[in-house]
Amino acid sequence: MLALLLLLVPLQCCAANSVALREVVPYASTGSGTEDPLGAFGAAALLSLPSDGLAVASFGAGLWVLELATPHIRARRHRSVLSPGHSATSLASLPGGCLAVGGDGVRLVNTSTRSANFEGTSVSEISGVNALLASPSPGIGLAIGADSGLHLLGEDAVDCSAPLLARSANSTLMSNDSDLQNESIAGMLSPGLLPGRFVYALVQLPSGEIVAGTDDGIWILNRLDVKVAPSAVLAPGSHVASLLPLPGGGLVAGTLNGALIFRSQDLRPGGRPRATLAKGSAIWGILLLPDDDGLLLGTSSWSAGSKDRGALLFSASAWQSTPPAEPSVALSAGAVVWALALLPHGGSGFSIGGVGAASVAVGGSRGVELFDLADLRTKVELGYASWGVAL
C-alpha cells in the first residue's frame, strides 16, 4: 500500500519551501507518540458518522471510533473496534448502519451499538485494500480498490440488515461472464476490473461515472463492468493516491507530485489538468470546504527537496486562479497528513442557533487533530491561532 511506504522508508527532506505559511493550532487532538495508538501508528482514513462520531482507520491500530459531543467536541472515550494488529486503511458507509473497513481484507462493523461485533465480520480476504466505494450500480454493493485491481462485492454480501455473525467470511467467486444486472449477485467478481493495476482511490462523479486512481493514472469508467473499457485514462504514468469530485463536474486528483485540477471538459480522452497545486508534495487527502470553496490538501514529503507540510489550505481564489496562487495556511504543520474529513456539527466553544459550527478533522502521523472551521477563518483573518485541549 502506497501510503504505508512513509512508515517504512526514510524520506529526504531538505530545504524548506519558499512560501511562509501561517500555522493554525488545533483546539483538540488525540495526542501523539507512543502513549497514544493513533499517534503511534497514524490515522490513515477518516469518516464522519451520523451519530456525531468519527471513525478512524489506523495502519497498525485497527479501527477506532471517537465519540464526540456537541457543541463542544470532546471525546468521551476512545473505543477500539478492531483489535490492534489489524491494518485499516480505508472506510465506507453502507446502507443499514454498517461501516466497511478495508486493509487486510474487508470487514463490516456496526458502529451504532456498543454490543456490536468489535472484530467485525470478514466479507473479503483480498489483501492490500486501499479504497472502498459504496456502489451505485444495481446488484453491486461495494467496489474495492486494491493492489490487485478493482474488485466488486454483491449487495447481499454487504447487506447490513441481515445478522452479520451468520454471514460466511468467504464470498462465492464469480467469473467475468457473470451478469452484473442480476440483483441476486452475492459474491465477488474476480479477478476484477483493471487487472494488473494498483487501485488507490475510488470516487463517483456527478455524471455517474466511476473514477479510479491507480499507479498508472486516472481511469474513468462509464459503469462497473469488466466488459467495458475505460472511457478515458488521464495523467498516464502518475501514481494517483486520492480523488475528489468537484460540484461542477470537475475533479481533483492527488498524486506523488501535487494535486491535478481537472475541469469537467478535461475529463475526456487526451484531457489535461488545468493546473497543479503543491508540486513536490504527495497528496493523500483532499477536502473542499463548505460555503467558500477553500481546498484543503493533506500532504507529505516525497521528492527530494520537499518536506512534510501538513494540510495546506488554498482559498477559492488561490486554487481557481490562472496560474494558481500558493496556500497561505497550514493545519498540522510539519506532520504527514493522510486523511481529511468535515464534521458537520460541533465546535470549540460556541454555537449558532444551538448548533455547533462545523469542524475539520485532520488525520495523519499525529493521530487526529480537530480544527473549528468558523474559528479557523476568523483567526486566519486576524492573524491569531486557536489553542486546543487534548481529547
Side-chain angles (χ1 to χ4, degrees), residues 285-381:
I286 312 171
L287 182 66
L288 187 67
L289 302 184
D291 301 328
D292 64 0
D293 290 338
L295 191 65
L296 192 61
L297 303 179
T299 76
S300 77
S301 62
W302 194 267
S303 61
S306 67
K307 67 174 186 176
D308 296 334
R309 304 175 70 189
L312 304 180
L313 179 58
F314 292 78
S315 67
S317 59
W319 71 269
Q320 293 176 4
S321 62
T322 304
E326 293 292 329
S328 58
V329 175
L331 285 65
S332 302
V336 175
V337 174
W338 286 298
L340 301 164
L342 183 69
L343 300 176
H345 302 298
S348 61
F350 68 95
S351 61
I352 301 174
V355 179
S359 295
V360 173
V362 176
S365 58
R366 293 180 185 162
V368 179
E369 297 180 309
L370 302 182
F371 299 82
D372 188 287
L373 186 56
D375 199 28
L376 170 79
R377 290 166 176 156
T378 302
K379 294 299 188 295
V380 167
E381 292 175 359

Side-chain angles (χ1 to χ4, degrees), residues 100-300:
V101 184
D104 297 327
V106 179
R107 291 173 178 264
L108 298 187
V109 177
N110 185 349
T111 61
S112 63
T113 173
R114 293 178 182 273
S115 61
N117 173 20
F118 279 15
E119 289 296 316
T121 298
S122 175
V123 293
S124 169
E125 296 181 356
I126 292 176
S127 61
V129 174
N130 306 305
L132 299 172
L133 177 66
S135 172
S137 302
I140 302 174
L142 188 67
I144 304 170
D147 292 350
S148 55
L150 177 57
H151 304 266
L152 306 175
L153 280 176
E155 287 180 334
D156 291 348
V158 292
D159 180 9
C160 295
S161 62
L164 292 181
L165 294 177
R167 192 165 302 136
S168 170
N170 297 314
S171 300
T172 304
L173 291 177
M174 303 190 319
S175 71
N176 289 349
D177 296 328
S178 300
D179 180 6
L180 293 182
Q181 302 305 313
N182 183 353
E183 295 187 2
S184 66
I185 290 175
M188 180 181 298
L189 184 64
S190 182
L193 291 75
L194 312 185
R197 294 271 64 84
F198 287 68
V199 178
Y200 299 122
L202 291 170
V203 296
Q204 183 183 17
L205 296 177
S207 63
E209 294 173 300
I210 304 298
V211 182
T214 78
D215 60 332
D216 190 20
I218 303 161
W219 294 55
I220 302 178
L221 307 169
N222 289 327
R223 65 179 188 274
L224 294 174
D225 189 332
V226 292
K227 299 177 182 178
V228 176
S231 60
V233 178
L234 308 178
S238 297
H239 279 70
V240 180
S242 55
L243 295 166
L244 177 73
L246 295 174
L251 181 73
V252 184
T255 74
L256 299 185
N257 188 26
L260 309 180
I261 309 295
F262 293 88
R263 300 165 299 180
S264 58
Q265 58 265 39
D266 300 325
L267 302 179
R268 55 175 177 76
R272 292 180 174 273
R274 181 190 66 80
T276 303
L277 306 177
K279 289 183 179 179
S281 294
I283 311 299
W284 306 105
I286 312 171
L287 182 66
L288 187 67
L289 302 184
D291 301 328
D292 64 0
D293 290 338
L295 191 65
L296 192 61
L297 303 179
T299 76
S300 77

